[in-house]
Amino acid sequence: MRDEKLGIAVFGAGRWGVHLVRNFLEHPNARLIAVVDTEGDRLNALAERFPLDNVKLSTDWEAVMQLQDVQGVAIATPATTHALLIQAALEQGHHVLSEKPLTLDGAESIKLCQLAEQHQRQLVIDHTYLFHPAVRQGRKTLQTGTLGELRYGYAARTHLGPVRQDVDALWDLAIHDIAIFNHWLNETPTQVQAQGTVWLQSQSPNTQFFPQGLSDLVWLKLIYPSGFQALVHLCWLNPDKQRRLCIAGSQGTLIFDELSTSPLTLQRGYLEQTDQYFIPAGQSVEALELEPAEPLRQVCGHFLSCMAQNRPSEISSGWVGAKLVQILSALTTSLNQGGQIVSVP
């Protein structure tokens, strides 16, 4: 990486934007140039929390895009604004780190990836879980073949809120688990299926996208080219908080439980047949050792490295983000069709 610090502007000073500001302020290879938010109160609160004497705070995103020292922008604004801001940043010659999802439309996401290539700028998507130590180690563990033949996967992401008013639980929560399954399996689903239940918000501001309202509960299935299938349970109306994802194989199960004191566990075991009976054998439990690291700090460092070398992200590029948007769009189609199996483009 080059010696000079890279100039960064953060767009959005909400919950996630605050974390981006903190990480770029602390990173030795970054210089925070500006923070943009439409709400002045958020900017004032940010100034009270962090040393921002040399950082421009603005409600005018177009003016900040024009600042000479800005080389990259980090976007943490609502998903509906991503396409406009990303396009403007790329056309201005900036590299872009965007919060997930890339956009709410697959074709629009692909156009942004193509635009980034056209301008020879890097588009990186903040799929933070792909930089989590447990997810990184999980991928390495799977590559050793320890689980034997991979059979199926399952995940649960539930909690009591926060309840979104712009998208349903599918768009809010599913992208994390889909991203992890894709990363671990090194493939993407070709078919999907989803069913949803609406309790709280039967009316949606986007009736074309969510004609039946915003689903609070979603069950989905991912079907991969290899034949592997994964089932995911999503709900933001359940006090039983779960952040758990597993892959089961013929020799054991790999478990990523974010809420556990041992986030990544390998449970070995298989069945041996004796006469007409199947007997459990080879059972053991191993908590896998992880390197301590803040995932978002890893994301920011990765983005800065991609900027400095002007090379695409091998972990979470715009193309990875676009494929996830296509998968979510197909799941939405399935949900709106009452659970029909839908092919992913």
Side-chain angles (χ1 to χ4, degrees):
M1 183 174 285
R2 298 177 301 182
D3 292 335
E4 64 267 23
K5 294 185 177 184
L6 298 167
I8 301 294
V10 173
F11 287 67
R15 181 182 64 87
W16 203 245
V18 169
H19 293 308
L20 286 169
V21 167
R22 172 177 56 82
N23 273 283
F24 282 121
L25 279 174
E26 295 174 354
H27 203 287
N29 297 322
R31 182 162 66 96
L32 187 62
I33 303 297
V35 181
V36 180
D37 198 282
T38 56
E39 297 185 20
D41 290 344
R42 284 182 175 178
L43 296 174
N44 293 334
L46 205 65
E48 293 178 0
R49 182 172 176 180
F50 298 107
L52 301 177
D53 293 341
N54 297 318
V55 178
K56 181 179 179 61
L57 303 180
S58 176
T59 59
D60 186 348
W61 67 267
E62 291 178 299
V64 169
M65 286 281 189
Q66 304 291 329
L67 293 178
Q68 186 174 2
D69 291 338
V70 173
Q71 296 161 277
V73 301
I75 296 172
T77 58
T80 52
T81 68
H82 286 184
L84 172 65
L85 293 175
I86 293 171
Q87 180 177 337
L90 292 172
E91 290 177 345
Q92 191 63 33
H94 302 319
H95 301 280
V96 178
L97 171 65
S98 174
E99 189 180 12
K100 59 80 187 169
L102 174 50
T103 72
L104 298 178
D105 180 82
E108 192 173 53
S109 296
I110 290 173
K111 288 181 180 178
L112 291 174
C113 295
Q114 294 170 337
L115 184 65
E117 292 183 347
Q118 177 185 337
H119 288 274
Q120 298 184 335
R121 289 296 178 265
Q122 300 310 319
L123 174 57
V124 180
I125 312 305
D126 180 11
H127 293 295
T128 313
Y129 276 98
L130 300 186
F131 297 81
H132 193 293
V135 173
R136 287 188 162 182
Q137 182 57 49
R139 180 179 167 93
K140 293 177 183 177
T141 301
L142 285 166
Q143 289 173 341
T144 66
T146 301
L147 294 187
E149 177 189 352
L150 301 185
R151 289 178 168 165
Y152 78 105
Y154 52 101
R157 190 169 294 270
T158 65
H159 196 24
L160 198 59
V163 176
R164 296 276 294 269
Q165 296 178 315
D166 55 339
V167 295
D168 61 5
L170 170 65
W171 278 85
D172 184 36
L173 302 174
I175 197 166
H176 303 301
D177 298 308
I178 300 172
I180 296 171
F181 277 125
N182 291 358
H183 191 62
W184 277 7
L185 298 168
N186 199 32
E187 60 176 342
T188 59
T190 52
Q191 292 182 308
V192 296
Q193 186 177 28
Q195 292 180 297
T197 301
V198 179
W199 290 301
L200 298 179
Q201 302 174 90
S202 58
Q203 299 295 323
S204 163
N206 188 342
T207 55
Q208 182 176 358
F209 211 58
F210 306 107
Q212 300 170 12
L214 301 180
S215 295
D216 306 290
L217 167 67
V218 177
W219 300 92
L220 66 89
K221 178 188 289 186
L222 309 171
I223 304 171
Y224 289 84
S226 62
F228 185 94
Q229 296 188 14
L231 305 172
V232 184
H233 167 206
L234 308 164
C235 187
W236 58 29
L237 197 57
N238 184 345
D240 176 23
K241 184 174 182 178
Q242 296 184 68
R243 296 285 186 273
R244 199 165 185 267
L245 182 146
C246 312
I247 286 185
S250 59
Q251 300 297 311
T253 299
L254 184 65
I255 303 167
F256 172 35
D257 188 343
E258 191 180 354
L259 304 181
S260 172
T261 54
S262 301
L264 189 65
T265 304
L266 178 59
Q267 292 196 10
R268 291 185 174 88
Y270 53 91
L271 293 174
E272 288 185 341
Q273 186 170 7
T274 303
D275 297 326
Q276 73 270 35
Y277 301 105
F278 291 92
I279 309 300
Q283 292 179 287
S284 66
V285 178
E286 179 185 356
L288 301 183
E289 186 175 347
L290 305 177
E291 296 182 1
E294 180 190 354
L296 185 57
R297 181 174 176 82
Q298 301 301 307
V299 171
C300 293
H302 180 71
F303 175 55
L304 292 166
S305 179
C306 291
M307 284 179 59
Q309 301 176 32
N310 200 18
R311 61 170 175 80
S313 169
E314 71 280 5
I315 301 172
S316 191
S317 66
W319 290 106
V320 170
K323 174 53 69 174
L324 286 165
V325 171
Q326 288 182 317
I327 294 168
L328 287 170
S329 296
L331 282 163
T332 294
T333 299
S334 174
L335 191 153
N336 290 336
Q337 292 178 356
Q340 295 294 314
I341 293 178
V342 172
S343 296
V344 181

